[in-house]
Amino acid sequence: MNEKILEVINLKKYYTLKRTKLFEKPGAVKALNGISFSIHRGETFGLVGESGCGKSTAGHTIIRLLKPTDGEIIFNGQEISKLNHQELKRVREDMQIIFQDTTGALNPKKTIEWILNEPLRAHGVEKTERRKIILENIELVGLDTSYLKRYPHELSGGQQQRIGILSALILKPDLIIADEPISALDVSVQAQILNLMNDLQDKLGLTYLFISHDLNVVHFFCDRIAVMYLGEIVEIAEAERLYKKTYHPYTQSLISAIPGENEFIKERIILKGDAPNPLNPPTGCFFHPRCFKRMPICDKIKPEKVEIEKDHFVRCHLYGKEIKI
């Protein structure tokens, strides 16, 4: 699992706002403020954080549904951040996305067969071959051919998500970006979908970028985890290590908030206030206004990423080199 299938380097996504006054400099929301990580072939890499931290924006920017403001996205050895539409079409045969909202992702006026047929048609697969591929693969997601004539509203939420998964898999991609794929489902169905995704990874040799706000889920499902806060990654580590030895105060607060009894929770940490407005982020470390371990340096200088243990990275002044202010 040493080969890098995806490398994200200093990726930024800014949204420029409209001027409210003449000659006023337009503001910008920094949804992604220079994130960097890599994913190895065959692994499941988790991206976790509060709502609004930028994790879905990261997934959509990596697959180029959103145009990056700056940075590099290297997929299968190719830099794809500046590719045109036709070049991206070829890349997307090998990189697909599973959306959170299957109701919005599946065309309500079309049958399941039409929905599964569409990505194959768009990528130039012949009509007779398309039908064959769909019939051969429908059972991969635990459904049978009787579902092909149905419409999305005739399926349960779990069945709709199975079709969403198959729609992403139908082109046999290397990398699947799963954007909160189970958050809209009942708890009992969530476990079924996670088990299905695990089985498909084993059968097809898939690599996942798994985006979620649920720390229980990413601990169960992911090999490595990156924790995001206000458009930045504050900690990256192997999943089991992250839960046993957490360094960043924000990660500590997230893990302490996991419901129920848990061997990783030593004490409950209640953060004060809400996440800052990304239009006007704090100076220095973005987390310092809510941090229970903040120091004078934290509101003045942004901390650098340091490797505190092998393959365990954290961005916090508690562990960086001493800086005089």
Side-chain angles (χ1 to χ4, degrees), residues 27-163:
V29 175
K30 297 180 178 180
L32 295 178
N33 196 36
I35 65 169
S36 300
F37 62 89
S38 59
I39 301 178
H40 300 108
R41 189 175 297 277
E43 82 168 327
T44 300
F45 185 89
L47 208 51
V48 69
E50 292 173 289
S51 296
C53 71
K55 54 190 186 296
S56 288
T57 300
H60 292 190
T61 306
I62 288 166
I63 201 170
R64 288 291 313 276
L65 294 175
L66 296 173
K67 186 178 180 181
T69 303
D70 197 8
E72 295 179 73
I73 306 163
I74 302 170
F75 175 62
N76 276 336
Q78 181 183 12
E79 214 290 314
I80 67 169
S81 64
K82 297 176 178 65
L83 297 184
N84 61 36
H85 177 74
Q86 202 59 36
E87 292 167 331
L88 275 174
K89 186 176 179 181
R90 290 193 291 271
V91 169
R92 286 190 182 134
E93 289 187 39
D94 294 323
M95 188 197 308
Q96 289 285 308
I97 187 167
I98 301 169
F99 293 101
Q100 174 184 359
D101 180 18
T102 48
T103 306
L106 304 179
N107 190 327
K109 297 182 179 180
K110 300 296 184 180
T111 65
I112 298 305
E113 183 169 4
W114 187 95
I115 290 168
L116 295 174
N117 183 77
E118 192 60 12
L120 295 168
R121 184 200 62 78
H123 286 272
V125 179
E126 293 184 2
K127 187 174 182 179
T128 53
E129 186 65 17
R130 297 201 297 262
R131 171 77 175 170
K132 180 183 175 185
I133 290 171
I134 292 169
L135 291 175
E136 287 177 349
N137 287 279
I138 186 74
E139 291 183 2
L140 266 180
V141 292
L143 302 176
D144 59 52
T145 55
S146 67
Y147 286 86
L148 296 176
K149 299 303 179 186
R150 299 187 193 183
Y151 290 83
H153 72 271
E154 298 178 294
L155 275 58
S156 68
Q159 290 167 344
Q160 288 181 3
Q161 192 58 289
R162 288 171 188 267
I163 295 302

Side-chain angles (χ1 to χ4, degrees), residues 3-40:
E3 180 191 354
K4 290 180 182 178
I5 190 172
L6 178 73
E7 191 169 8
V8 175
I9 304 170
N10 199 31
L11 186 63
K12 298 178 181 179
K13 177 60 184 175
Y14 297 169
Y15 294 98
T16 303
L17 303 179
K18 292 182 179 179
R19 292 186 181 91
T20 56
K21 297 178 183 178
L22 192 64
F23 305 121
E24 180 184 53
K25 185 179 179 180
V29 175
K30 297 180 178 180
L32 295 178
N33 196 36
I35 65 169
S36 300
F37 62 89
S38 59
I39 301 178
H40 300 108

